[in-house]
Structure formats: structure tokens, C-alpha cells
């Protein structure tokens, strides 16, 4: 565990100050917002709210009975000739993959997009074990070339314009500069095709793991996950334990919601059901199949009644797109690879609230996230709980608590409240002409007031508070 | 003519900074025939502490509120945010205290955000107001998403003589206030306000109307800083005008 972090002020300011980046984020998320809006409209999906409710219930049921479904999936995968591998943490996953690669004599892994493997830095771990891992999702591939982490859980290279992409491709592959997206795709595809042919192991993530059948479901738009899971001899799917759903028919609910919430697509271009190793008589599929089920802190969340709904997330990214904070500060100022509202609630739960004590506070609690979340996670509620945990941990220091103690005392003592209000009104400068305060004398422009004035003008307190005016009116009447 | 006594909770920010919004609300209620009482012991709803993670401190203030408004039949609040705090969050401030939790629960049906009171209790969408001008309406987040107040204020504005309502392209987007968020993350909060201000300006409206004074403080602060001559008005002020 790292030491305690503080607000990434420099990063936030540089993101806010970069007009090109701001436009890229705003445009890309804006497009996703528009597409989703159409896809879940009353005309397009009349039972949308009902689907959300069912999805929430299905997730709740699965998470509350996870032991049962984990045992079931293990059996089902074995029946299909595959093997479930439980891993406590990232180190166990990389050890497993490296040992398997060594035993089979494989040196190249192709990977399709998976936040779970990003979470455990699998690529780096494999590199250091002399196994090359190549991302095959275009966005992920670009970021791998640029040595960056995903900016967004669905659109990892959301912040890159095509000019940025041109720079990356030229810089790392030495190809001629090409700014046309189609041509850029062609260049990347050319490189990746070779890798697919050569690789002995394919690693994918999983959007859903069907406990009742042992199938891994992966949705994508590029076809690279399909290739990653079928071209190489060995397929390893890495999934967090919360990815389980009970039955294949539950997909009718989740698939309707996922594509629409993520990109506004009724269904993603490819939905693959990856069900174990190739069996006798089958023409394709891998020779060996492993389902890695990763805990990495998840079971800790299971124990927490109030917050475990955080595990219902299907990683659609809608909460990021709709979050006015994410849209300002982008994905890289969040302390972990999970950014936006979902990142703000799971990061402190996985890493401990003391580690990034500022994170649950980086929200105006506007609730736009919960409004669009397809599985109805009450994100603001969880943020509020986390804030209370941060203050209880002492990570915000004692001064703030003392201030709130005194404040609460004053608010419970109306006489003092009235007197202090009058004092503030008397002390406040009043611009001629009745305007708002643009600047305060140095000694006053500190703390919250100074902070407010950085960005906005400040209203002077009313010369006569409501209570004084009311009292006067009452006496006059 | 409606009858009955309503108790108003003007909120600390209206009391100290925007008293005219409170006076306007009282005026509209009186015009409708209500007897308006202002219980002088009132202060704040406790939300600043609650949203900052200090639940015990928030509970101290909530306890005070419950004491002050004991026995009030209707409590009308010129704020969706404070109204929601009282109606939806007080209960969780008293875990393990059955008695207080019960008292908090009992408030839920008695606390009304101002526009909702007009529509649901007074059952009117026309309070006889006249306001000449073009305005735009800002949906404040807690009213919209915790109390599902969206059409009500627009209906009321629609009945104001002389008023033209022009919608923003992002009326539902947060203004960036967020209580202590506005001073903990001033640059982000300020950026959010500027995005909203740009949308307000695009409507060509001369005033932006909201049912929450805290949003209006944020927006007016940003408008004033940007030198944009659009004013902010609480819904009650528009409805009191004639
Ligand atoms: S929290 Fe909800 S909206 Fe956000 S990514 Fe997860 S499922 Fe999607």
C-alpha cells in the first residue's frame, strides 16, 4: 500500500487549463451521453426502468449468494473441460499465467480489453517474467504504446484525438504520419494480425460469467476479444468474482442494459459466449481454457451491508460520461485505474479510506451518476458513507472536526447564531452600488472564503437578515 | 382561498444572505390565504456537516430542528436541497435511537419544498404573478434527483403573466456548488459553474430562476465574476412579483 495521497492539484489544474483536452473529453462524453439517451428513451426501450430494477435485484441476489454460485461455476467449467483458478491478488494471477506459459513454452500473449487485468498490472508482471503481452483492443494498444493507463473504463483512449494517435503510431512504430482514423486502424491491425498468429496464449476479461453454464460472456465492437480467445492454443479469462450471474437467461436483462448504457448500442457488435476448451469433434476453440476468478479485495466489500452494492457494477461507463467532475478533471487524476463516480466509490473500499481521503469529497453529490446507472447503484449514498468513514478515521485531521463541532453548537443555539450573523454582516465589505464582493482584504481571504473567491464573486451577508426583517414586520403589524 | 397555518423554515442561507427570497415566499403563501409563522429558534438543517462526513454534528443540528418544529403541521422550505436533507436523511442520523428516528420519519410527509407545497397542498399553479421578461430555469440536483421536482416549477412559471421561459440545453446539469465541495475543489466547482453560465447565456434570458438559493449563489457568483449581466432569482421572488 502506498502512503496517503492528497488532492492532485497540479494534475487537476493542468487538465482544466488544457483547452484541447477539455474539448476532447467534453465531445467524447457528450457523444456517449446523446447516444445513450436515445437508446434508453421511452420509444426505444419502454421497459428500461423495469430492467434496471430487475438488474439490481439480480445482482443483489448473486452477491448475497456468491458462495453458492462460485461453487456452481467451478463445477460447470470443469464439466466443459476447463478449470477455475481462484486468485487472492494480482501476484497470484501473474504467477499462474507465467508458470503456465513456461510449462507450455509460450512467450507471447495477446490480450483483449480488460479492466480487471489493468487493475492488477498484469502486463508489467508478465513483461518482467519475459512474456510479452500485447493489447489488441485499438484504444488499449495505443495506450500500451504510449505507456499510459486507461482514461475511461469503456473508451480507454477517450482523451486522444486523431492527431495524438498519429503521433503515437509514428513515434513508436516508425510508420509514416497518418491522421485518417481508418488508415490508423489499418496500421494497427497489420501489426496485431501478426501477433494473433504468433501468440500461444490469449487473455480476455469477462463482462459476465454465467454460473449455471460455466460460460464467459464478452462483449466488444472490434472482434479482437473473439480472436484473442480462439486463435491461440490457450484461453485464459480473468474476471472479478463479482462478475457472476446466475443463469444464461439473465443476460437478456444485462445485455439490453450494458450496450445501451455504454455506447447507446442496442447490442455491441460482438457478443461471444466462450464456453470452455474445444471438445472432441469441435472445429474451433482453444485447446485449454482457464477461468481466473480474482478476489483482490472484493470479498472485503461483501461483508459491508451498506456499501456492497458497489460490486453490482457492470462497468458500462455511463456514470463517468454523465459526471460533471469527471468531465472536468478527466480520468488520470483519479488515484486508480477506475475513474469517475464508480472509481470514487470503489477505490477507497479496495485500498482503505485512509489512502486517498480526499477522493469521496471530490463530488458535488449531484446524483447524475445514480440516475443513469443501469444497475441502480446509489453512488451518492455510498460517497456519503465513505465521507463519514474518512472523518471517523481521522484522516482529515482534527481541525475540521473541531470547526464542525463549534458550528453545530452555534446552530443549536439560536441566540449565538443571530449574534454571529450580525457580526459577519457588520464586518463584510460592501461594494458601492450593491454588487458582489470581488476581493477581500488579505486577512479575510483565507480558508473557505479565499477558496470561493478564487473562482467566484461573493455575496455580502444581508444587512438585515430574514429574522430581523420578520421581527420588524411583526412588531410593525 | 386556502386556509391553515404553515410554518416556514427559511434555511440559513436565505436568512443570512438572501432574505428577500424568504420574504417573497411568505408573501405568496399569505396571498393564498395561509397564516405564516416563522419560528425564531430555527437555524440550519445540518446538511453542511452531513455532507462533509460529520454525522454526529449533523445530528446535533437535526435534533435542534426537530425541537423547534415540534407540532408544526406543514413546514415549507424555499430549497429542494435542505428539504431533501430533512425529509430523506434525518432518519439515518439516528441509528440506534428508535425514538428520534421515529420523530424524523414523521417529518417526511410534513416537509414541503415551496413549489411542491403550492402544487400539492395549496393545489394551485397560478398565484397571480406578473413578471415581464425572459427567464431560464435551473434544475437544482437534489430537487430534481432526490425529490423528483422537474415539471412543477416550470408549470408555475408558465402561469406568470408576461414571462417567457427559455430552456437551457443543459438545464439538468449541476451548477458545481455541492456545499463544501465548492471550496474544497474551487477550480473544478468554478469550471462547472462556467459551463452552466455558458448555457444560460446561450438562452438569451435576462434572469436564471431556481428553487435553491445555494445554486443561485454559485451561479450569481460566477456570472458576476464573468461580468455577465444576467441576474438570479429565487422562484418565490418571481411568483411574488406582480
Ligand atoms: S457504477 Fe453503474 S453507471 Fe457506473 S460503470 Fe458501474 S454500472 Fe455503469
Amino acid at each position: 500500500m502506498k502512503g496517503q495521497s492528497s488532492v492532485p492539484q497540479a494534475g487537476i489544474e493542468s487538465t482544466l487549463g488544457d483547452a484541447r483536452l477539455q474539448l476532447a473529453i467534453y465531445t467524447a462524453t457528450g457523444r456517449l451521453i446523446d447516444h445513450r439517451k436515445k437508446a434508453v428513451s421511452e420509444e426505444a426501450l419502454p421497459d428500461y426502468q423495469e430492467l434496471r430494477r430487475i438488474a439490481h435485484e439480480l445482482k443483489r441476489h448473486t452477491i448475497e449468494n456468491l458462495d453458492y454460485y462460485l461453487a456452481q461455476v467451478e463445477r460447470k467449467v470443469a464439466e466443459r473441460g476447463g478449470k477455475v483458478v481462484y486468485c487472492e491478488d494480482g501476484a497470484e494471477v501473474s504467477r499462474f499465467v507465467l508458470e503456465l506459459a513456461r510449462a507450455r513454452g509460450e512467450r507471447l500473449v495477446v490480450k483483449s480489453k480488460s479492466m480487471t487485468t489493468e487493475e492488477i498490472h498484469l502486463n508489467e508482471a508478465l513483461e518482467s517474467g519475459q512474456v510479452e503481452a500485447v493489447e489488441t483492443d485499438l484504444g488499449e494498444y495505443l495506450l500500451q504504446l504510449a505507456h499510459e493507463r486507461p482514461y475511461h473504463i469503456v473508451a480507454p483512449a477517450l482523451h486522444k484525438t486523431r492527431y495524438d494517435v498519429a503521433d503515437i503510431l509514428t513515434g513508436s512504430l516508425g510508420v509514416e504520419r497518418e491522421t485518417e482514423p481508418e488508415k490508423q486502424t489499418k496500421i494497427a491491425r497489420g501489426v496485431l494480425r501478426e501477433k494473433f498468429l504468433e501468440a500461444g496464449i490469449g487473455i480476455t476479461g469477462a463482462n459476465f460469467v454465467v454460473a449455471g453454464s460455466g460460460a464467459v460472456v464478452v462483449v466488444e465492437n472490434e472482434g479482437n476479444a473473439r480472436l484473442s480467445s480462439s486463435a491461440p492454443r490457450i484461453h485464459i479469462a480473468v474476471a472479478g468474482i463479482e462478475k457472476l450471474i446466475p443463469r444464461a437467461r439473465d443476460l437478456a436483462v444485462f445485455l439490453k442494459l450494458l450496450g445501451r448504457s455504454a455506447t447507446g448500442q442496442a447490442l455491441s457488435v460482438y457478443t461471444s459466449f466462450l464456453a470452455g476448451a474445444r471438445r472432441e469433434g469441435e472445429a474451433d476453440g482453444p485447446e485449454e481454457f482457464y477461468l481466473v476468478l480474482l478476489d483482490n479485495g472484493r470479498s472485503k466489500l461483501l461483508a459491508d451491508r451498506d456499501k456492497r452494492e458497489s460490486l453490482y457494477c457492470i462497468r458500462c461507463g455511463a456514470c463517468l460520461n454523465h459526471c460533471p467532475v469527471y468531465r472536468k478533471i478527466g480520468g488520470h487524476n483519479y488515484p486508480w485505474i477506475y475513474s469517475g463516480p464508480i472509481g470514487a466509490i470503489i477505490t477507497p473500499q479496495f485500498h482503505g479510506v485512509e489512502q486517498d481521503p480526499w477522493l469521496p469529497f471530490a463530488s458535488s453529490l449531484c446524483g447524475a451518476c445514480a440516475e443513469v446507472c443501469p444497475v441502480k447503484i446509489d453512488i451518492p449514498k455510498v460517497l456519503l458513507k465513505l465521507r463519514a468513514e474518512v472523518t471517523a478515521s481521522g484522516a482529515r485531521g482534527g481541525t475540521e472536526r473541531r470547526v464542525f463541532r463549534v458550528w453545530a453548537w452555534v446552530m443549536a443555539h439560536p441566540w449565538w447564531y443571530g449574534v454571529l450573523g450580525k457580526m459577519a454582516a457588520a464586518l463584510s465589505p460592501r461594494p458601492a452600488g450593491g454588487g458582489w464582493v470581488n476581493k477581500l482584504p488579505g486577512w479575510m481571504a483565507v480558508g473557505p472564503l479565499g477558496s470561493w473567491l478564487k473562482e467566484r464573486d461573493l455575496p455580502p451577508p444581508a444587512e438585515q437578515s430574514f429574522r430581523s426583517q420578520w421581527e420588524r414586520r411583526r412588531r410593525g403589524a | 382561498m386556502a386556509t391553515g397555518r404553515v410554518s416556514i423554515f427559511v434555511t440559513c442561507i436565505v436568512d443570512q444572505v438572501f432574505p428577500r427570497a424568504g420574504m417573497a415566499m411568505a408573501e405568496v403563501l399569505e396571498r393564498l390565504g395561509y397564516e405564516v409563522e416563522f419560528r425564531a429558534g430555527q437555524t440550519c438543517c445540518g446538511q453542511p456537516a452531513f455532507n462533509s462526513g460529520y454525522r454526529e454534528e449533523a445530528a446535533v443540528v437535526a435534533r435542534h430542528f426537530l425541537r423547534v418544529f415540534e407540532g408544526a403541521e406543514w413546514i415549507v422550505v424555499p430549497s429542494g436541497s435542505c428539504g431533501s436533507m430533512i425529509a430523506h436523511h434525518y432518519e439515518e442520523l439516528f441509528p440506534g435511537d428508535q425514538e428520534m428516528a421515529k420523530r424524523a420519519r414523521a417529518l417526511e410527509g410534513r416537509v414541503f419544498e415551496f413549489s411542491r407545497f403550492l402544487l400539492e397542498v395549496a393545489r394551485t399553479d397560478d398565484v397571480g404573478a406578473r413578471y415581464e421578461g425572459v427567464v431560464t430555469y435551473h434544475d437544482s440536483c437534489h430537487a430534481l434527483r432526490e425529490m423528483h421536482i422537474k415539471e412543477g416549477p416550470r408549470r408555475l412559471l408558465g402561469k406568470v403573466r408576461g414571462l417567457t421561459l427559455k430552456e437551457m440545453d443543459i438545464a439538468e446539469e449541476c451548477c458545481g456548488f455541492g456545499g463544501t465541495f465548492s471550496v474544497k475543489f474551487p477550480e473544478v466547482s468554478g469550471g462547472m459553474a462556467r459551463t452552466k453560465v455558458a448555457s444560460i447565456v446561450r438562452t438569451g434570458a435576462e434572469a436564471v430562476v431556481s428553487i435553491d438559493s445555494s445554486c443561485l449563489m454559485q451561479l450569481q457568483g460566477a456570472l458576476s465574476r464573468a461580468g455577465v449581466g444576467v441576474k438570479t432569482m429565487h422562484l418565490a421572488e418571481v411568483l411574488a412579483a406582480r
Side-chain angles (χ1 to χ4, degrees):
Chain A
M1 191 159 286
K2 302 172 288 176
Q4 193 179 93
S5 80
S6 52
V7 179
Q9 193 60 28
I12 289 176
E13 282 179 29
S14 92
T15 306
L16 284 169
D18 184 338
R20 203 170 84 144
L21 180 56
Q22 286 288 314
L23 188 66
I25 304 170
Y26 212 73
T27 318
T29 50
R31 201 178 303 127
L32 293 168
I33 290 175
D34 290 344
H35 291 172
R36 173 195 165 274
K37 195 169 174 192
K38 286 197 197 92
V40 303
S41 67
E42 189 61 34
E43 305 85 69
L45 191 65
D47 51 356
Y48 170 59
Q49 293 302 343
E50 181 63 6
L51 286 167
R52 289 177 78 209
R53 199 190 54 76
I54 300 172
H56 182 92
E57 279 308 305
L58 282 168
K59 278 289 183 183
R60 188 183 58 75
H61 166 83
T62 318
I63 294 295
E64 283 175 13
N65 298 281
L66 202 54
D67 286 354
Y68 172 83
Y69 288 114
L70 285 170
Q72 188 182 31
V73 82
E74 186 169 3
R75 262 193 337 268
K76 291 293 172 183
V77 168
E79 281 171 22
R80 289 176 175 269
K83 188 170 185 299
V84 166
V85 182
Y86 285 105
C87 292
E88 259 318 303
D89 55 20
E92 286 191 23
V93 179
S94 47
R95 198 176 317 126
F96 164 73
V97 177
L98 282 172
E99 275 168 15
L100 187 70
R102 237 166 256 140
R104 303 293 188 268
E106 300 296 348
R107 315 213 61 136
L108 178 64
V109 169
V110 281
K111 278 187 69 223
S112 69
K113 185 176 154 12
S114 150
M115 287 305 287
T116 313
T117 59
E118 290 282 348
E119 172 186 327
I120 55 177
H121 306 291
L122 185 59
N123 292 358
E124 291 82 344
L126 295 184
E127 293 304 316
S128 61
Q130 317 307 319
V131 170
E132 187 192 352
V134 181
E135 295 291 346
T136 62
D137 169 272
L138 284 175
E140 288 281 354
Y141 178 59
L142 287 169
L143 294 188
Q144 189 176 28
L145 293 180
H147 304 288
E148 280 184 37
R149 63 175 169 131
Y151 209 72
H152 183 287
I153 60 179
V154 171
L158 172 129
H159 59 309
K160 298 286 184 207
T161 64
R162 57 195 171 119
Y163 305 102
D164 298 328
V165 174
D167 293 343
I168 296 171
L169 289 175
T170 316
S172 29
L173 300 177
V175 293
E176 220 167 287
R177 195 176 149 86
E178 192 53 78
T179 53
E180 284 300 312
E182 288 84 54
K183 295 198 177 132
Q184 293 172 338
T185 305
K186 214 167 193 177
I187 296 172
R189 287 247 160 96
V191 178
L192 293 174
R193 192 167 310 124
E194 298 297 311
K195 301 289 182 186
F196 276 122
L197 291 174
E198 221 181 292
I201 299 179
I203 297 182
T204 68
N207 292 94
F208 305 98
V209 176
V210 182
S213 67
V216 167
V217 182
V218 179
V219 301
E220 48 147 352
N221 283 326
E222 295 173 11
N224 63 307
R226 181 162 288 197
L227 266 178
S228 301
S229 62
S230 58
R233 283 194 318 116
I234 302 168
H235 173 208
I236 303 173
V238 181
I241 52 172
E242 84 283 12
K243 285 288 183 291
L244 263 59
I245 59 169
R247 305 154 301 189
R249 54 186 262 223
D250 301 329
L251 288 166
V253 175
F254 289 113
L255 290 178
K256 264 190 197 145
L257 290 170
L258 178 56
R260 286 177 165 92
S261 302
T263 53
Q265 290 167 288
L267 209 55
S268 305
V269 178
Y270 298 93
T271 302
S272 306
F273 290 73
L274 309 170
R278 185 194 312 174
R279 276 173 287 184
E280 289 270 325
E282 283 182 349
D284 54 7
E287 291 163 25
E288 296 178 48
F289 170 70
Y290 300 91
L291 171 58
V292 172
L293 289 174
L294 174 70
D295 188 313
N296 207 32
R298 286 164 174 78
S299 51
K300 205 167 55 188
L301 272 72
L302 283 176
D304 188 329
R305 274 194 154 280
D306 286 333
K307 303 199 298 304
R308 68 179 162 214
E309 63 184 284
S310 315
L311 288 176
Y312 302 176
C313 175
I314 58 174
R315 306 278 188 264
C316 73
C319 58
L320 281 67
N321 305 333
H322 289 77
C323 177
V325 173
Y326 174 88
R327 296 182 83 191
K328 290 286 171 223
I329 71 172
H332 283 170
N333 288 309
Y334 289 84
W336 203 20
I337 53 138
Y338 298 109
S339 53
I342 184 62
I345 63 169
I346 61 176
T347 305
Q349 297 188 72
F350 276 67
H351 295 164
V353 290
E354 297 92 342
Q355 188 168 314
D356 309 295
W358 58 275
L359 184 56
F361 294 88
S363 160
S364 66
L365 299 174
C366 78
C369 48
E371 192 177 32
V372 297
C373 175
V375 288
K376 296 185 83 154
I377 301 173
D378 192 343
I379 295 171
K381 182 192 80 182
V382 179
L383 283 173
L384 281 165
K385 288 256 152 71
L386 288 166
R387 289 181 180 187
E389 286 175 25
V390 171
T391 60
S393 77
R396 292 194 66 85
T399 313
E400 194 181 71
R401 179 172 290 280
R402 279 191 291 279
V403 168
F404 272 105
R405 281 235 169 100
V406 172
W407 174 88
W409 187 89
V410 171
M411 291 301 156
H413 292 81
W415 187 83
W416 280 102
Y417 164 90
V419 167
L420 290 169
K422 279 195 182 129
M423 277 172 59
L427 275 175
S428 171
R430 292 182 191 280
W436 284 28
V437 178
N438 187 268
K439 234 178 131 187
L440 281 176
W443 66 272
M444 273 178 136
V446 291
L449 287 182
S451 216
W452 179 273
L453 281 170
K454 266 191 196 165
E455 298 280 329
R456 293 137 297 197
D457 289 352
L458 183 74
E463 280 174 85
Q464 294 286 326
S465 66
F466 179 90
R467 65 193 56 226
S468 324
Q469 293 188 32
W470 190 263
E471 181 58 24
R472 262 225 315 261
R473 197 176 94 148
R474 200 180 60 84
R475 276 213 231 103
Chain B
M1 206 79 180
T3 50
R5 169 191 282 235
V6 297
S7 203
I8 56 174
F9 169 56
V10 299
T11 78
C12 56
I13 182 173
V14 167
D15 181 34
Q16 297 294 323
V17 188
F18 304 106
R20 60 174 194 274
M23 294 307 275
M25 175 172 83
E27 217 176 296
V28 172
L29 291 169
E30 283 172 352
R31 193 191 294 165
L32 292 173
Y34 289 99
E35 183 190 336
V36 175
E37 71 164 15
F38 173 81
R39 300 193 177 188
Q42 63 181 269
T43 55
C44 170
C45 68
Q47 187 171 197
F50 179 68
N51 282 0
S52 302
Y54 295 99
R55 295 195 174 199
E56 282 167 40
E57 288 72 13
V60 169
V61 183
R63 237 176 247 279
H64 175 73
F65 181 96
L66 288 165
R67 211 166 28 238
V68 170
F69 285 95
E70 185 75 66
E73 188 183 354
W74 288 313
I75 304 164
V76 182
V77 191
S79 160
S81 193
C82 310
S84 177
M85 173 70 202
I86 299 160
H88 299 147
H89 297 296
Y90 268 15
E91 199 185 333
E92 30 177 327
L93 289 178
F94 304 106
D97 186 341
Q98 294 290 331
E99 181 48 35
M100 285 307 288
K102 208 174 97 196
R103 282 176 64 191
R105 242 191 333 272
L107 270 181
E108 216 187 301
R110 295 191 287 135
V111 174
F112 285 86
E113 178 280 322
F114 172 60
S115 72
R116 174 161 278 177
F117 182 83
L118 295 182
L119 292 161
E120 293 179 10
V121 181
R123 293 184 174 277
T124 180
D125 56 8
D126 187 350
V127 298
R130 165 174 291 279
Y131 179 88
E132 301 287 343
V134 181
V135 306
T136 189
Y137 177 76
H138 161 71
D139 283 287
S140 64
C141 297
H142 292 168
L144 178 69
R145 301 197 180 87
E146 290 187 14
M147 306 188 98
H148 309 288
I149 294 171
K150 175 152 181 74
E151 292 311 322
R154 291 180 167 83
R155 250 176 77 199
L156 288 155
L157 287 172
K159 289 288 163 80
V160 176
R161 286 142 197 86
L163 181 145
T164 309
L165 177 66
K166 286 210 55 187
E167 291 285 353
M168 276 178 254
D169 43 11
I170 50 166
E172 294 188 1
E173 198 162 304
C174 181
C175 67
F177 178 64
T180 49
F181 169 76
S182 65
V183 289
K184 281 186 174 127
F185 298 87
E187 296 84 5
V188 186
S189 169
M192 286 160 70
R194 278 191 293 277
T195 299
K196 198 83 201 205
V197 162
S199 179
I200 293 168
V201 169
R202 281 195 292 274
T203 65
E206 63 211 45
V208 49
V209 178
S210 168
I211 57 174
D212 266 286
S213 295
S214 48
C215 303
L216 293 178
M217 178 167 77
Q218 165 88 347
L219 290 173
Q220 184 71 71
L223 284 161
S224 166
R225 178 61 58 94
V228 178
V230 174
K231 48 178 184 171
T232 56
M233 289 177 89
H234 192 282
L235 176 72
E237 293 175 72
V238 180
L239 297 184
R242 40 197 339 187

